[in-house]
Amino acid sequence: MNVPDLRRHGFKWCNAIASLSGIAWAYAAYRYDWLNIGGGEIAFKEFWIAASGVVPCMALAVWLAALVLVALQDRRRALPVVSRMLRMGATLAIMPTSLFVADWFFHIGFGVSPV
Protein backbone atom coordinates (compact mmCIF):
# COMPACT_ATOMS: atom_id res chain seq x y z
CA MET A 1 0.00 0.00 0.00
CA ASN A 2 1.38 3.37 -1.00
CA VAL A 3 0.95 5.77 1.96
CA PRO A 4 1.66 9.46 1.22
CA ASP A 5 4.58 11.02 3.07
CA LEU A 6 3.10 13.62 5.44
CA ARG A 7 6.34 15.56 5.51
CA ARG A 8 6.04 16.22 1.78
CA HIS A 9 2.26 16.33 1.39
CA GLY A 10 1.17 17.50 4.86
CA PHE A 11 0.20 20.96 3.60
CA LYS A 12 -2.11 19.49 0.96
CA TRP A 13 -3.69 16.95 3.31
CA CYS A 14 -4.21 19.46 6.12
CA ASN A 15 -5.89 21.91 3.78
CA ALA A 16 -8.00 19.22 2.11
CA ILE A 17 -9.27 17.97 5.47
CA ALA A 18 -9.90 21.53 6.69
CA SER A 19 -11.84 22.26 3.49
CA LEU A 20 -13.94 19.10 3.90
CA SER A 21 -14.71 20.06 7.49
CA GLY A 22 -15.96 23.45 6.28
CA ILE A 23 -18.20 21.75 3.73
CA ALA A 24 -19.52 19.36 6.41
CA TRP A 25 -20.30 22.37 8.61
CA ALA A 26 -22.25 24.05 5.79
CA TYR A 27 -24.17 20.85 5.04
CA ALA A 28 -25.10 20.29 8.71
CA ALA A 29 -26.28 23.92 8.91
CA TYR A 30 -28.34 23.44 5.74
CA ARG A 31 -30.02 20.30 7.08
CA TYR A 32 -30.77 22.01 10.40
CA ASP A 33 -32.18 25.09 8.65
CA TRP A 34 -34.32 22.82 6.47
CA LEU A 35 -35.87 21.38 9.62
CA ASN A 36 -36.56 24.84 11.03
CA ILE A 37 -38.53 26.10 8.04
CA GLY A 38 -40.71 23.00 7.98
CA GLY A 39 -39.03 21.27 5.08
CA GLY A 40 -40.90 18.08 5.75
CA GLU A 41 -39.97 14.90 7.51
CA ILE A 42 -36.46 13.70 6.96
CA ALA A 43 -34.74 10.59 8.12
CA PHE A 44 -32.56 10.88 11.22
CA LYS A 45 -34.07 14.18 12.38
CA GLU A 46 -32.46 13.90 15.82
CA PHE A 47 -29.10 13.24 14.18
CA TRP A 48 -29.21 16.49 12.21
CA ILE A 49 -30.26 18.45 15.27
CA ALA A 50 -27.33 17.01 17.24
CA ALA A 51 -24.94 17.40 14.28
CA SER A 52 -25.75 21.10 14.00
CA GLY A 53 -24.19 21.59 17.43
CA VAL A 54 -21.26 19.19 17.13
CA VAL A 55 -20.04 19.64 13.54
CA PRO A 56 -19.10 23.35 13.87
CA CYS A 57 -16.96 22.60 16.94
CA MET A 58 -15.27 19.70 15.17
CA ALA A 59 -14.67 21.80 12.03
CA LEU A 60 -13.05 24.57 14.05
CA ALA A 61 -10.86 22.04 15.89
CA VAL A 62 -9.75 20.49 12.59
CA TRP A 63 -9.01 23.92 11.15
CA LEU A 64 -6.95 24.96 14.17
CA ALA A 65 -5.09 21.64 14.08
CA ALA A 66 -4.33 22.24 10.39
CA LEU A 67 -2.96 25.69 11.21
CA VAL A 68 -0.73 24.28 13.93
CA LEU A 69 0.49 21.37 11.80
CA VAL A 70 1.32 23.61 8.84
CA ALA A 71 3.14 26.05 11.14
CA LEU A 72 5.13 23.22 12.74
CA GLN A 73 5.91 21.67 9.38
CA ASP A 74 7.12 25.00 7.96
CA ARG A 75 9.23 25.67 11.02
CA ARG A 76 11.22 22.48 10.46
CA ARG A 77 11.83 23.22 6.80
CA ALA A 78 14.14 25.82 5.35
CA LEU A 79 11.53 27.91 3.54
CA PRO A 80 11.69 31.60 2.71
CA VAL A 81 9.54 33.81 4.93
CA VAL A 82 7.30 34.78 2.00
CA SER A 83 6.59 31.13 1.23
CA ARG A 84 5.74 30.45 4.87
CA MET A 85 3.38 33.41 4.93
CA LEU A 86 1.66 32.28 1.73
CA ARG A 87 1.23 28.74 3.04
CA MET A 88 -0.16 30.00 6.35
CA GLY A 89 -2.45 32.44 4.53
CA ALA A 90 -3.80 29.64 2.36
CA THR A 91 -4.43 27.50 5.43
CA LEU A 92 -6.15 30.40 7.18
CA ALA A 93 -8.43 31.04 4.19
CA ILE A 94 -9.30 27.51 3.02
CA MET A 95 -11.86 26.51 5.65
CA PRO A 96 -13.84 29.78 5.85
CA THR A 97 -13.88 30.01 2.05
CA SER A 98 -15.12 26.45 1.59
CA LEU A 99 -17.70 26.99 4.36
CA PHE A 100 -19.16 30.13 2.79
CA VAL A 101 -19.11 28.80 -0.77
CA ALA A 102 -20.74 25.51 0.26
CA ASP A 103 -23.30 27.33 2.42
CA TRP A 104 -24.20 29.58 -0.50
CA PHE A 105 -24.45 26.57 -2.83
CA PHE A 106 -26.64 24.54 -0.47
CA HIS A 107 -29.01 27.45 0.10
CA ILE A 108 -29.66 28.23 -3.56
CA GLY A 109 -33.43 28.08 -3.93
CA PHE A 110 -33.85 27.65 -0.16
CA GLY A 111 -37.36 28.36 1.05
CA VAL A 112 -38.20 31.49 2.99
CA SER A 113 -38.81 31.07 6.72
CA PRO A 114 -42.55 31.08 7.53
CA VAL A 115 -41.99 33.37 10.51
Side-chain angles (χ1 to χ4, degrees), residues 1-9 13:
M1 184 172 172
N2 194 5
V3 178
D5 183 13
L6 284 180
R7 288 174 286 168
R8 277 188 31 200
H9 301 291
W13 284 105

Side-chain angles (χ1 to χ4, degrees), residues 6 10 13-14 20-21 24 26 28 39-40 43 47 50 53 69 79 82 96 101:
L6 284 180
W13 284 105
C14 287
L20 289 176
S21 71
F47 170 78
L69 288 173
L79 291 174
V82 173
V101 169

Side-chain angles (χ1 to χ4, degrees), residues 14-15 17-19 21-22 25 57-69 88 90-96:
C14 287
N15 284 333
I17 292 170
S19 178
S21 71
W25 182 353
C57 296
M58 290 175 52
L60 286 174
V62 166
W63 183 48
L64 291 174
L67 288 170
V68 169
L69 288 173
M88 188 56 74
T91 305
L92 275 169
I94 192 74
M95 201 275 287

Side-chain angles (χ1 to χ4, degrees), residues 29-89:
Y30 161 72
R31 296 300 280 192
Y32 183 71
D33 290 347
W34 183 247
L35 290 172
N36 284 340
I37 67 163
E41 286 299 315
I42 63 169
F44 311 113
K45 184 175 186 176
E46 292 81 18
F47 170 78
W48 290 111
I49 292 171
S52 69
V54 173
V55 172
C57 296
M58 290 175 52
L60 286 174
V62 166
W63 183 48
L64 291 174
L67 288 170
V68 169
L69 288 173
V70 167
L72 288 175
Q73 182 186 30
D74 286 353
R75 204 171 119 211
R76 291 188 207 149
R77 296 172 66 191
L79 291 174
V81 175
V82 173
S83 179
R84 286 183 188 183
M85 297 295 282
L86 288 174
R87 287 166 59 96
M88 188 56 74

Side-chain angles (χ1 to χ4, degrees), residues 18-27 29 56 59-60 93-107:
S19 178
L20 289 176
S21 71
I23 293 169
W25 182 353
Y27 188 71
L60 286 174
I94 192 74
M95 201 275 287
T97 303
S98 63
L99 168 66
F100 291 123
V101 169
D103 193 54
W104 171 80
F105 179 75
F106 289 136
H107 285 86

